[in-house]
Amino acid sequence: MSDEKKSDDYAVDMPMLDRNSRAFDPPPAPRQASHSPISNSPILPILSYCGSSILMTVTNKYVLSGVDFNLNFFLLAVQSIVCVVAIQACKSTGIITYRDFNSDEAKKWFPISLLLIGMIYTSTKALQYLSIPVYTIFKNLTIILIAYGEVLWFGGSVTGMALFSFGLMVLSSVIAAWADIQHAIRNYGHSSSETAKQISTLNAGYVWMMVNCFCSATYVLGMRKRIKLTNFKDFDTMFYNNLLSIPILLVCSIVAESWSSENINKNFPIESRNNLIIAIIFSGLSSVFISYTSAWCVRVTSSTTYSMVGALNKLPIALSGLIFFEAPKTFASISAIAVGFVSGLVYALAKVKQQAKKGVGLPTSNLTMSASSQSIRDGLKS
């Protein structure tokens, strides 16, 4: 039946309406969704994602680089509180959505929150002893552990190109460690007590970094298994992770950290106390910024572009350590950053090629994205 016939069948005679009446006016045209060229441009979300990543790393380093800062559990507790308050405010205003708290789901997710605490605590300890460039370079080693963990537990595979990128990651870490030690010897001499102290600090950082890599890989692999039971999306994960972490971190801070007035004044000197508090709050908000801007990147770009942005993002983060802090600026340290940067690019390309081989060809629409990226996208209301 044609559209004209349908309208004839359901025609209803109406009395003549006055032309000045509102009822005589034709109905307005359907409202088209507005597409702001700024919000749909890939430049702004990519820059926002990189900026939020740099902001989080730099603010954490600023707080942790204070003289004898030792309230790491308290720092993480405040960051978790800020994060929960921020995402709850975003949910209340309709910017994001996530499921309400459920005690059964909390019990299932609690082991993952414990793994997260181990990961972020060891991360703060490593960042406390190492420079941002070295920390960023060594963080790449986590990718190797996750890749082989997926091979063991999820039937994943490692291509030759990915294996080559792993070799570059290890090489960049060796160069970075050698550059740090050589810089300490060059500055203080071979036999001075200050040199021994600097090398001891670096060794402590390397140990914490190694522990952090294992904790990070365990957290990611454990979360991947657990998320199948709960069907969490990323904002659900963020909410439960931070909410469940708060009481544990506060208890650890009270039990394991000194809360004497002398220690508080040492951690928060009067002359820089306000700046430190602002930095801690900003570092907590940065985790929300990273999640939102990464979802923004996924929404306006392809998953391939997003994965490349993640690889390219390592360079500005490493450079921020050279700009904002007194990280060694030597040929070896710059070379380590360059090799680490290339290793990230090679790994991203390896993953793109691996995904392309699984399909018939490169899709031009409905681009495949990671489960994590898809879940962030689902958590946002467009």
Side-chain angles (χ1 to χ4, degrees):
M1 186 183 292
S2 66
D3 291 337
E4 290 79 11
K5 181 63 179 173
K6 284 183 182 179
S7 61
D8 289 339
D9 289 345
Y10 291 93
V12 179
D13 291 332
M14 297 291 293
M16 181 64 70
L17 297 173
D18 182 65
R19 289 183 180 271
N20 295 324
S21 170
R22 288 174 60 95
F24 185 79
D25 296 335
R31 195 172 179 181
Q32 300 294 325
S34 60
H35 296 284
S36 169
I38 296 178
S39 63
N40 286 331
S41 170
I43 302 299
L44 187 58
I46 288 172
L47 291 178
S48 300
Y49 173 69
C50 293
S52 59
S53 301
I54 294 171
L55 178 64
M56 185 173 189
T57 305
V58 169
T59 50
N60 275 337
K61 180 62 177 176
Y62 172 74
V63 175
L64 294 167
S65 62
V67 179
D68 297 324
F69 186 88
N70 54 28
L71 295 177
N72 296 59
F73 282 120
F74 173 72
L75 167 66
L76 297 175
V78 173
Q79 289 176 346
S80 294
I81 293 170
V82 170
C83 184
V84 169
V85 171
I87 62 175
Q88 186 61 44
C90 290
K91 181 181 180 181
S92 300
T93 54
I95 298 175
I96 63 174
T97 182
Y98 56 85
R99 62 185 73 184
D100 295 326
F101 181 80
N102 181 284
S103 58
D104 291 334
E105 290 178 336
K107 291 176 183 177
K108 292 177 182 177
W109 197 257
F110 185 73
I112 304 301
S113 293
L114 289 177
L115 292 175
L116 174 68
I117 291 172
M119 182 186 76
I120 58 179
Y121 179 77
T122 55
S123 174
T124 61
K125 297 298 290 186
L127 191 58
Q128 192 167 2
Y129 292 113
L130 300 175
S131 65
I132 290 178
V134 174
Y135 171 82
T136 305
I137 291 167
F138 271 82
K139 197 70 177 173
N140 279 338
L141 298 179
T142 306
I143 297 173
I144 302 175
L145 297 176
I146 293 173
Y148 282 101
E150 289 182 339
V151 171
L152 290 174
W153 292 308
F154 299 103
S157 61
V158 176
T159 63
M161 193 174 185
L163 194 61
F164 176 65
S165 73
F166 296 162
L168 291 176
M169 291 174 189
V170 174
L171 177 62
S172 65
S173 301
V174 172
I175 296 173
W178 178 81
D180 263 0
I181 294 172
Q182 289 300 310
H183 181 264
I185 293 174
R186 191 180 304 112
N187 279 2
Y188 302 105
H190 284 272
S191 58
S192 70
S193 59
E194 190 63 31
T195 302
K197 181 181 177 182
Q198 288 294 322
I199 293 178
S200 176
T201 300
L202 291 174
N203 288 336
Y206 300 145
V207 171
W208 280 113
M209 194 72 245
M210 181 178 64
V211 175
N212 175 253
C213 289
F214 279 100
C215 287
S216 299
T218 305
Y219 166 73
V220 171
L221 295 170
M223 183 174 65
R224 180 173 173 182
K225 288 199 84 164
R226 185 67 62 169
I227 210 166
K228 293 180 179 179
L229 299 177
T230 58
N231 197 27
F232 275 4
K233 308 225 181 295
D234 271 32
F235 285 110
D236 300 323
T237 302
M238 183 187 295
F239 173 66
Y240 275 91
N241 271 340
N242 286 279
L243 188 64
L244 297 177
S245 298
I246 291 171
I248 303 170
L249 291 169
L250 288 176
V251 170
C252 289
S253 179
I254 293 170
V255 173
E257 296 175 341
S258 173
W259 281 93
S260 65
S261 57
E262 179 183 355
N263 192 54
I264 292 174
N265 290 329
K266 184 171 67 173
N267 282 272
F268 296 96
I270 295 176
E271 61 273 12
S272 59
R273 183 170 297 173
N274 291 337
N275 291 336
L276 284 171
I277 293 173
I278 292 172
I280 291 173
I281 293 172
F282 258 93
S283 62
L285 291 173
S286 296
S287 61
V288 184
F289 295 156
I290 290 172
S291 293
Y292 187 82
T293 54
S294 61
W296 192 6
C297 282
V298 169
R299 191 168 66 245
V300 300
T301 66
S302 67
S303 58
T304 302
T305 303
Y306 177 69
S307 64
M308 294 304 295
V309 168
L312 293 170
N313 195 34
K314 298 289 179 67
L315 181 61
I317 291 177
L319 292 178
S320 68
L322 301 177
I323 296 170
F324 297 110
F325 300 95
E326 296 180 358
K329 301 177 183 69
T330 63
F331 176 76
S333 63
I334 300 298
S335 300
I337 293 174
V339 174
F341 173 67
V342 172
S343 71
L345 281 179
V346 173
Y347 180 73
L349 287 171
K351 295 301 288 183
V352 169
K353 287 189 174 183
Q354 191 175 20
Q355 289 295 327
K357 285 182 180 179
K358 291 180 180 178
V360 178
L362 290 175
T364 56
S365 62
N366 296 327
L367 288 162
T368 304
M369 63 184 68
S370 67
S372 176
S373 301
Q374 180 66 56
S375 63
I376 300 177
R377 182 176 178 176
D378 292 342
L380 288 165
K381 293 181 176 178
S382 48

